[in-house]
Amino acid sequence: MNKIEINDLRSAIEYLKNVKGQLVKSDVEVNSHGELAGVYRYIGAGGTVKRPTKIGPAMIFNNIKGHKDAKVIIGLLASRERVGMLLDCAPKRLGFLLNEAVKNPINPIIIDNEKAPCQEVVHYATDEGFDIRKILPAPTNTEEDAGPYITLGMCYARDPETGEGDVTIHRLCLQGKDELSMFFTPGVRQLDAFRKKAEESGEALPISISIGVDPAIEIASCFEPPTTPIGFNELSIAGAIRNKPVEMVKCLTVDEAAIARAEYVIEGELVPNKRIREDKNTNTGKAMPEFPGYTGEAAKELPVIRVKAITHRKNPIMQTCIGPSEEHVNMAGIPTEASIIQMVEKAMPGRLVNVYAHPAGGGKYMAILQIKKSIASDQGRERQAALLALSAFSELKTVILVDEDVDPFDSNDVLWALNTRYQGDIDTIFIPGVRCHPLDPSQSPEYSWTIRDRGIACKTIFDCTVPYELKDKFKRAKFTEVDLEKFKIEEYK
């Protein structure tokens, strides 16, 4: 296969067309309201989606009801193997790739408007008949959703005081012909800090939302503090992954920039002191399926984006994902792995072998740390590593510690360690009353009287490592190493 340079969604698709089993399509008309996600649930959603589901290929829908010239791709990153292909990295080393990228950032650049594919077609909000719901084939995951959602919009804005930019992904619901609601997880997003600064001054915050971009940008945008504090532009991580700067372009209607090779760009402003009920159009009380596997409650009031324009490529491709799918696991989990690697390596170099943000936690709630104990004084450092991870990442709820001979990416191997190298009364560490994540329904006062507020949890460490002095008694059975090529193994025909 000829090597294809990946620098946007289209080149990523062209790459996958040449890899067996990684991309499928359908030309049958599909309704974006529930049906599209209902199909992909069986094809390749995975993650915390209700079974039956599986990890499978990405899928392109070529015939979207009500949208003549648009396509929708879903599941592009819903396989760790596929993420590795698209980032040119072994799947189990992705955390290390991103860690190196964070340490060697390459800042984005601005290119001329006439060179930006994302502005080939322009729709102004002042145009007669302008309606974002007719321009964007944004799906609903389920029939209960508060409305069509943009699930993979790269939201870019700048600190109104310093001018420093930041890109993140948010829950964006299409509320009207020129309005979106924007959900912020309390206290964890830099764009929310920018919005509050602007609002305190009575000013609108210009924002661009780029949809359908280079997968490296989507992965990089999911980094969070403390790895990427306020002032750190995550687009520079994507630049480092590709070893060239991300190209941006000035918006046409607001004082902001967007990703130049995006399929769609929404230009708008976060309106100061305006709020909207998330399910105002459906009154279901539901928002959309979220990464823990449950449908999130509709927020009673959310900030509003007033859309000024939508620009897009000719024959644009809308990109979307299912909230609880393996796609979220990879986008949220791999940056978390990189961040844990960076933090633990600084504190205790050479002890951490690898990290896996497990799909059962949606890429956020659970991490498996593979630890190497080389000398007697390494005993106990595995728990120190777990404490570092839990203290740095508020959303992390559970850490499982395993030895270097256990594959953290193999759940059966991890459960084997839990059963043969763990005793509940001495190897479980509870840390109650710690701020975690409000989307976990068990983290609420209704679940237990011991929980004082929604989003507070008992964080837990399962130490499934062998005590250093007993390592000789826990050696796995040794098998003869062989050269499989010698045996010319074939299927019966």
Side-chain angles (χ1 to χ4, degrees):
M1 183 182 74
N2 293 328
K3 187 70 173 177
I4 297 173
E5 179 187 357
I6 298 174
N7 56 17
D8 58 10
L9 177 61
R10 295 192 182 198
S11 54
I13 290 171
E14 288 305 309
Y15 177 90
L16 292 178
K17 284 180 180 179
N18 295 297
V19 184
K20 185 179 179 181
Q22 293 298 331
L23 183 65
V24 295
K25 67 175 183 175
S26 173
D27 296 326
V28 177
E29 184 181 71
V30 66
N31 193 331
S32 62
H33 183 73
E35 188 175 40
L36 188 151
V39 172
Y40 193 65
R41 176 261 186 104
Y42 293 101
I43 301 298
T48 59
V49 171
K50 182 181 177 182
R51 274 51 184 164
T53 188
K54 63 181 180 180
I55 295 175
M59 185 169 184
I60 297 177
F61 291 87
N62 290 319
N63 189 350
I64 310 299
K65 184 177 180 180
H67 295 273
K68 181 180 178 182
D69 297 322
K71 302 177 182 180
V72 174
I73 185 169
I74 186 170
L76 183 72
L77 302 177
S79 150
R80 192 177 182 106
E81 179 186 11
R82 193 156 55 249
V83 174
M85 293 176 185
L86 294 170
L87 299 189
D88 194 22
C89 177
K92 292 183 180 181
R93 302 299 297 174
L94 284 164
F96 294 90
L97 170 73
L98 266 62
N99 181 38
E100 287 302 312
V102 171
K103 294 190 289 186
N104 300 281
I106 297 176
N107 288 324
I109 58 172
I110 300 288
I111 66 170
D112 295 338
N113 290 77
E114 58 269 21
K115 295 180 180 179
C118 71
Q119 293 178 348
E120 290 175 339
V121 181
V122 181
H123 305 269
Y124 292 103
T126 52
D127 293 344
E128 184 177 350
F130 179 88
D131 191 329
I132 57 176
R133 296 164 295 189
K134 295 178 180 178
I135 300 170
L136 296 168
T140 60
N141 276 192
T142 77
E143 294 182 6
E144 294 182 318
D145 288 9
Y149 275 90
I150 298 167
T151 55
L152 288 175
M154 306 300 113
C155 302
Y156 189 83
R158 287 175 292 162
D159 188 316
E161 294 177 352
T162 67
E164 294 167 331
D166 184 70
V167 62
T168 50
I169 299 174
H170 294 265
R171 192 167 92 196
L172 302 167
C173 186
L174 279 58
Q175 297 289 3
K177 68 182 183 66
D178 65 350
E179 285 189 342
L180 305 170
S181 61
M182 188 172 189
F183 179 84
F184 292 94
T185 302
V188 300
R189 294 295 186 206
Q190 297 180 34
L191 258 63
D192 197 23
F194 300 168
R195 177 191 65 81
K196 289 175 179 176
K197 284 184 181 182
E199 191 168 74
E200 287 168 1
S201 301
E203 300 291 333
L205 182 71
I207 186 170
S208 72
I209 303 162
S210 302
I211 307 165
V213 299
D214 181 350
I217 296 174
E218 293 167 344
I219 293 285
S221 69
C222 294
F223 272 93
E224 297 178 3
T227 307
T228 55
I230 288 181
F232 192 110
N233 189 336
E234 286 84 358
L235 290 176
S236 65
I237 302 173
I241 292 171
R242 297 300 188 203
N243 199 30
K244 61 188 298 186
V246 173
E247 293 180 345
M248 303 193 74
V249 64
K250 290 183 178 179
C251 294
L252 302 176
T253 61
V254 296
D255 183 21
E256 196 43 88
I259 296 166
R261 300 189 65 83
E263 294 290 322
Y264 290 91
V265 171
I266 300 172
E267 302 181 3
E269 294 176 333
L270 276 156
V271 183
N273 302 310
K274 182 170 183 177
R275 301 292 185 268
I276 196 170
R277 180 165 56 87
E278 193 168 16
D279 65 337
K280 73 161 194 156
N281 293 312
T282 61
N283 298 307
T284 62
K286 305 290 182 65
M288 61 169 284
E290 289 285 5
F291 73 89
Y294 303 93
T295 297
E297 295 179 7
K300 293 181 172 56
E301 54 177 41
L302 289 177
V304 174
I305 297 173
R306 178 70 47 76
V307 177
K308 299 290 188 179
I310 294 177
T311 71
H312 60 78
R313 290 185 171 207
K314 295 175 183 176
N315 302 312
I317 306 169
M318 181 78 185
Q319 188 178 2
T320 189
C321 76
I322 292 175
S325 70
E326 190 78 10
E327 196 149 17
H328 184 281
V329 171
N330 291 321
M331 288 192 298
I334 297 170
T336 297
E337 293 166 14
S339 299
I340 292 173
I341 289 167
Q342 183 181 117
M343 178 162 291
V344 175
E345 188 62 22
K346 284 181 180 178
M348 52 183 79
R351 272 84 170 190
L352 184 64
V353 180
N354 214 331
V355 185
Y356 183 34
H358 198 281
K364 284 181 175 282
Y365 287 168
M366 176 184 287
I368 301 166
L369 274 60
Q370 185 185 33
I371 301 291
K372 179 180 181 180
K373 299 178 187 177
S374 301
I375 55 177
S377 60
D378 284 341
Q379 181 60 38
R381 292 193 185 277
E382 75 281 5
R383 299 187 182 190
Q384 182 185 353
L387 290 169
L388 282 168
L390 288 169
S391 63
F393 304 101
S394 63
E395 297 167 340
L396 190 57
K397 181 182 179 183
T398 306
V399 170
I400 301 176
L401 298 164
V402 297
D403 291 298
E404 60 189 298
D405 64 343
V406 176
D407 184 352
F409 296 89
D410 184 333
S411 295
N412 283 335
D413 217 24
V414 173
L415 290 176
W416 171 80
L418 181 71
N419 280 281
T420 67
R421 299 179 173 184
Y422 164 86
Q423 288 294 320
D425 59 339
I426 59 172
D427 293 321
T428 314
I429 300 94
F430 299 112
I431 312 170
V434 184
R435 179 62 60 181
C436 195
H437 199 284
L439 290 179
D440 177 352
S442 73
Q443 297 179 30
S444 69
E446 291 83 8
Y447 191 86
S448 171
W449 64 269
T450 63
I451 298 174
R452 301 178 68 92
D453 187 29
R454 185 174 179 180
I456 287 179
C458 177
K459 299 198 175 195
T460 309
I461 301 169
F462 296 89
D463 189 349
C464 304
T465 63
V466 175
Y468 178 79
E469 68 275 12
L470 298 177
K471 287 186 76 171
D472 286 344
K473 296 183 180 295
F474 285 81
K475 288 183 177 179
R476 303 183 75 159
K478 292 183 179 180
F479 293 86
T480 303
E481 293 296 333
V482 298
D483 178 10
L484 286 179
E485 295 295 323
K486 170 184 174 182
F487 292 92
K488 303 186 186 323
I489 300 169
E490 299 177 356
E491 290 186 15
Y492 278 101
K493 296 179 181 178

